[in-house]
Amino acid sequence: MAETSPKQTQRQELIQLVADLQEQEALSLVQTRIFQNEDPLLIVEDCQEGLRRVGERYEKQIYYLSGLIMAGEIFREAMELLTPVIAGRFKGSHSGVILLGTVQGDIHEIGKNNLSLLLTCYGFTVHDLGVDAPPEAFADAALQLHPDVIGLSGLMTSSYDSMRQTVALLRGNSDPAIQHIPIILGGNQLNQQVCDYVGANAWVTDAMSGVRLCQKLTEED
Ligand code: B12
């Protein structure tokens, strides 16, 4: 039987601590792994998996809204520890303007903020419309900024209609330059079917893939 490495054990432990909403223990393990010089993105990935499990427990009514709020808080605190490490490790000189926002009706922002942090580290200029951003806000900002890529974040099933409306408004813009700006989607429940429904160019479920996608899309200009 294959042996589990200590690193693998720590990864499972962090996922479990976040899923169990063990704030102090989870943050202390994040700190330990930072001191061990681990890839900070792996630590983020484990926190994200922990949050996904919190979501599952919420669906099964093992947790209530307070559980989601607590999970968001743990992630925020973990990011406070991880942000300087990420900013120190990931650097790039990409030039490109990315317009970003969580679509109307959706207030989830942790993933979007993560992406924004990484994009900035890699040299992109990010204009963040925040959460619950209506289609018109994306269209107005697109007209003003002429971004290279527009990124829509949404974590709820109901967000897909907001995404679709936003894409429709951008694609129907009277300025042809706006009509053709690539639009990408991010969120952990997305798939190709949703992307087709929304009418976007591409979708991802993690921030690093989002950065690579933006690099690719801006290189092809
Ligand atoms: C934390 C959380 C909350 C927090 C959010 C705090 C905050 N400031 O953001 C709070 C408590 C506010 C919250 C509220 C609600 N939530 Co909530 N929440 C979650 C939870 C547990 C984690 C989300 C998260 O932050 N994950 C961690 C981040 C890092 O992951 P991520 O968001 O996927 O982002 C990554 C990638 O997707 C990508 N990415 C993200 N955006 C973008 C954008 C672009 C352009 C790109 C390229 C990449 C990219 O990069 C990120 C980093 O890798 C999820 C469970 C889950 N499965 O996700 C439920 C979940 C999303 N919530 C859910 C629900 C139902 C709600 C509420 C309706 C609950 C209620 N009864 O009020 C409200 C919604 C309010 C609203 N109108 O939006 C459901 C949605 C179900 C559905 N299918 O519609 C979920 C899936 C839980 C569940 N399984 O039932 N929630």
Side-chain angles (χ1 to χ4, degrees):
M1 207 170 71
E3 271 190 46
T4 319
S5 70
K7 190 174 154 186
Q8 209 54 37
T9 309
Q10 276 189 334
R11 292 198 66 181
Q12 287 311 319
E13 212 182 316
L14 182 56
I15 294 170
Q16 200 56 45
L17 286 170
V18 174
D20 292 342
L21 303 175
Q22 298 294 313
E23 183 184 20
Q24 289 315 321
E25 292 84 348
L27 293 173
S28 140
L29 185 51
V30 167
Q31 192 71 270
T32 304
R33 290 177 62 183
I34 290 173
F35 284 137
Q36 288 169 352
N37 210 15
E38 250 200 70
D39 179 351
L41 292 187
L42 272 189
I43 307 177
V44 174
E45 206 178 283
D46 296 340
C47 292
Q48 188 176 342
E49 174 57 22
L51 255 60
R52 201 189 58 74
R53 293 190 189 181
V54 169
E56 276 176 4
R57 291 182 190 181
Y58 171 79
E59 259 177 86
K60 291 182 188 151
Q61 298 186 348
I62 298 169
Y63 288 158
Y64 298 97
L65 184 58
S66 56
L68 296 184
I69 295 170
M70 186 68 206
E73 186 55 20
I74 295 175
F75 201 100
R76 190 192 59 73
E77 291 174 296
M79 283 313 292
E80 264 178 26
L81 301 172
L82 287 160
T83 298
V85 188
I86 292 173
R89 192 186 278 221
F90 300 97
K91 289 203 189 327
S93 54
H94 244 84
S95 58
V97 176
I98 316 294
L99 174 62
L100 197 60
T102 301
V103 294
Q104 190 164 40
D106 193 331
I107 61 163
H108 295 90
E109 64 177 351
I110 296 172
K112 167 186 69 61
N113 293 349
N114 254 11
L115 172 74
S116 175
L117 168 69
L118 272 179
L119 283 171
T120 309
C121 290
Y122 277 87
F124 288 98
T125 304
V126 178
H127 287 267
D128 187 347
L129 295 173
V131 297
D132 193 18
E136 296 74 20
F138 281 95
D140 290 349
L143 264 175
Q144 225 182 334
L145 303 164
H146 283 266
D148 298 287
V149 179
I150 299 175
L152 310 183
S153 183
L155 293 204
M156 298 191 298
T157 318
S158 55
S159 307
Y160 306 154
D161 279 318
S162 281
M163 287 175 159
R164 187 176 153 103
Q165 284 157 19
T166 307
V167 171
L169 192 66
L170 290 163
R171 298 282 190 245
N173 199 284
S174 52
D175 182 343
I178 304 295
Q179 289 167 17
H180 295 109
I181 298 173
I183 303 175
I184 64 172
L185 309 179
N188 125 9
Q189 328 237 10
L190 295 172
N191 55 43
Q192 187 56 45
Q193 212 182 342
V194 174
C195 186
D196 292 342
Y197 173 73
V198 168
N201 296 76
W203 59 281
V204 298
T205 54
D206 73 275
M208 203 53 221
S209 305
V211 171
R212 289 202 198 93
L213 198 53
C214 288
Q215 288 176 325
K216 192 163 162 262
L217 290 167
T218 48
E219 271 157 20
E220 279 167 5
D221 273 355

